[in-house]
Amino acid sequence: MSKASTLLQNEVGRRVLLLANESIARGVLEAGVRLVACYPGTPSSEIGNTLSQMSPSLENFYFEFSVNEKVALEVAGAAAVSGVRSMMICKGPGLNVAADPLLSLAYVGVRAGMVIVVADDPSMWSSQNENDSRYYALMSNTPMFEPSDPEESKSMLLQAYEISERLQLPVLLRTTTRVNHTRAPVELGPIRDRPDKVEFQKEPFRFVPIPSVARNRHLWLLGQIKVAQEISETTPLNFTVGQGKLGILTSGVSYCYVLESLASMNLNAEVLKLGMTHPVPERMLVEFMRRHRQLVVVEELEPFLETHARRLAQLHSVDVEIQGKEQGYFPRTYEYSPSIVRDGLRRCITGDTATDLQRTERTDTGLSSLPPRPPLLCAGCPHRATYYAIRTATKGKAIYPSDIGCYTLSISPPLETADLLFDMGSSITTACGIAQVTGQDVVATIGDSTFFASGLPGVANAVYNSHPVCIVVLDNRTTAMTGHQPHPGTGLTGMQQKVEPLDIATVCRGLGVKNVRTVRPFASLANLVKEVRELVSWVRNNRAPAVLVSIEPCALIAAAERARAGVRISPYYVDPETCTACKRCLNRLSCPAMYQDPESKKAMIDETMCNLCGVCASVCPQGAIRQKE
């Protein structure tokens, strides 16, 4: 039975081994959520993927992969305003995209429960920064819950909907990478019925925040967060465990590390664990600090709780020594581990403020270190051919703004076609800025999913302002980096329904781009180089944007389709008699399926990794790379 099928079962009391992300997906059913909208982003990806797989089997349920996080929040927010429970899912940086509607939604509020699941990514395993989304709770005046394991992820979600409806506010459920990807037994609860249709009740002087309305709603919001403050003081989500002279304040996965560290160090302490981290339970925290002369704050990323503790200690004249990031006892960057927490606690007790993260990490592993491996595009990735062509056509002299997704992997040698990156869709807009202040050729690359997410305004801006930029859309027919979710160009919805896909070339022409070409990168590498060269020349001569759409399915999709169809694999090989060991294929293509024979110094191909793109054969000047019969 698949995981999605298991989650659909109404077997109350059954314990199932689940990822926290899967536990949240199950919680959607138990909470009676009617609508979920998301934009895929690791570490939250499995929530949307699981709901999408479940959605065809659910009545009165709608799930969509929206084109970006702002749209997802607006879709889900409108559903909650209409009167049904809803959810929006994103990763930490995604909440930046959705910040604009979030702050207004807090002003107008919701009629039914709404939860925004945001997954922060300490250590940036798959993100461009270490967003700490707790500050969005502070800034928007919305309650925030922080689970520490898969069981809490579901139980807190259910309570978040209750609190949301009580306060008429959206509630943030913040997870972090280690929580999202931890698997643990979770007890299934009853599945709640979902309403079919509701009727939108007009209330413009609440839901249309013109200035006169917004001024009143801001006062209302401050009143609601005051009520939330009282809830935080009494909710069982905030509790203490243990006894001892030492007090420890913590939340999220750090709570698990604290308990493990105390046990391994044979150390006694009273631990205040906050599940509701905004608003913080001020009276509870002040009383906790008054019981201790020494308070250690253990939390990943920013000193959010630590700052609150220092503020409250000063405000209420509490004589307590607060130890945390401010004095260097705990690092402000990267993901914590039990060894980091143990080391921090030890140094708080001894007063040693010297931080040595490398030494700390070494104490946590008994395994030998693996050789470092730079991030690379997959073997057979169509982007490699396009980047090779871009670099060849421009001789490496153009400026190459990049974007969020697989494309950033082109930063490494020998492709070296990623010069600048801000955020989603920034490749096109930063290209506009560079083109206006330099005389250089600018070739921006962006993926198909990112194009629909945030690339469209950049294209419109380039057309309207006549920015001389080359835009290459790398269309691999999916949202590859987060796990192959669909987007408007794929022809599949989050409800698993086939629909008419949007054609990127047509969309660009509709936005006013005069020169739009489409190529297949595996058809002819020589032609691909020629197309890029002509694109750059046209932009230079016409002082206007032009678009090249390079279409080829993701290598992983192509391999899966071959396997499903039972296609016999005929991998490429290097003929050692013809190869002259010039290393052009190794030095200019950098396909992970290729390596150098240590004895002959000639190129070799690992047949188990070859994805049959054939680009290496096109690169070889000797014709030494061939496909087996």
Side-chain angles (χ1 to χ4, degrees), residues 60-244:
N60 301 329
F61 179 75
Y62 176 76
F63 171 80
E64 76 169 38
F65 287 112
S66 302
V67 295
N68 65 30
E69 294 86 350
K70 176 179 180 293
V71 172
L73 183 61
E74 291 164 348
V75 169
V81 167
S82 299
V84 297
R85 287 187 168 185
S86 70
M87 174 186 282
M88 180 269 191
I89 309 162
C90 65
K91 65 184 296 181
L95 197 54
N96 302 341
V97 181
D100 195 5
L102 170 64
L103 268 66
S104 294
L105 183 60
Y107 270 45
V108 301
V110 293
R111 287 186 170 122
M114 180 183 179
V115 173
I116 299 165
V117 179
V118 54
D120 283 348
D121 188 16
S123 286
M124 300 164 281
W125 298 111
S126 56
S127 304
Q128 65 271 38
N129 60 52
E130 289 188 305
N131 255 46
D132 191 329
S133 298
R134 292 178 292 181
Y135 290 97
Y136 277 114
L138 192 65
M139 183 167 59
S140 63
N141 281 300
T142 48
M144 171 170 275
F145 292 2
E146 286 191 68
S148 58
D149 59 33
E151 180 76 55
E152 274 194 349
S153 296
K154 182 168 76 71
S155 63
M156 278 193 184
L157 179 69
L158 301 181
Q159 293 175 74
Y161 278 103
E162 299 295 330
I163 298 298
S164 172
E165 289 176 348
R166 181 175 169 186
L167 297 172
Q168 299 182 35
L169 285 175
V171 171
L172 290 156
L173 183 79
R174 177 193 183 239
T175 58
T176 54
T177 307
R178 202 54 53 183
V179 175
N180 290 100
H181 293 156
T182 293
R183 196 178 291 278
V186 176
E187 184 172 318
L188 304 185
I191 293 177
R192 179 170 162 158
D193 291 336
R194 294 173 294 275
D196 180 10
K197 299 286 185 185
V198 293
E199 186 173 339
F200 183 89
Q201 300 294 326
K202 293 187 177 183
E203 195 176 351
F205 289 98
R206 171 182 174 183
F207 292 111
V208 183
I210 57 176
S212 59
V213 174
R215 291 184 193 109
N216 289 329
R217 294 304 296 182
H218 193 187
L219 296 175
W220 171 85
L221 175 58
L222 294 177
Q224 294 306 95
I225 206 65
K226 194 172 181 180
V227 177
Q229 177 78 58
E230 292 303 313
I231 294 173
S232 184
E233 300 286 357
T234 57
T235 176
L237 297 176
N238 299 330
F239 59 87
T240 60
V241 294
Q243 291 182 332

Side-chain angles (χ1 to χ4, degrees), residues 275-292:
M276 188 172 182
T277 49
H278 187 260
V280 295
E282 296 192 355
R283 290 198 303 274
M284 176 184 277
L285 182 50
V286 169
E287 290 168 8
F288 183 76
M289 289 192 289
R290 283 183 172 147
R291 291 201 294 271
H292 302 280

Side-chain angles (χ1 to χ4, degrees), residues 418-474:
D419 290 325
L420 181 65
L421 169 69
F422 290 163
D423 53 13
M424 277 276 208
S426 67
S427 62
I428 299 173
T429 46
T430 55
C432 294
I434 293 169
Q436 284 304 309
V437 297
T438 75
Q440 296 166 284
D441 297 325
V442 185
V443 183
T445 52
I446 186 171
D448 42 348
S449 183
T450 311
F451 172 84
F452 287 112
S454 300
L456 294 171
V459 175
N461 184 69
V463 170
Y464 182 70
N465 293 295
S466 301
H467 290 299
V469 294
C470 304
I471 303 167
V472 179
V473 183
L474 300 160

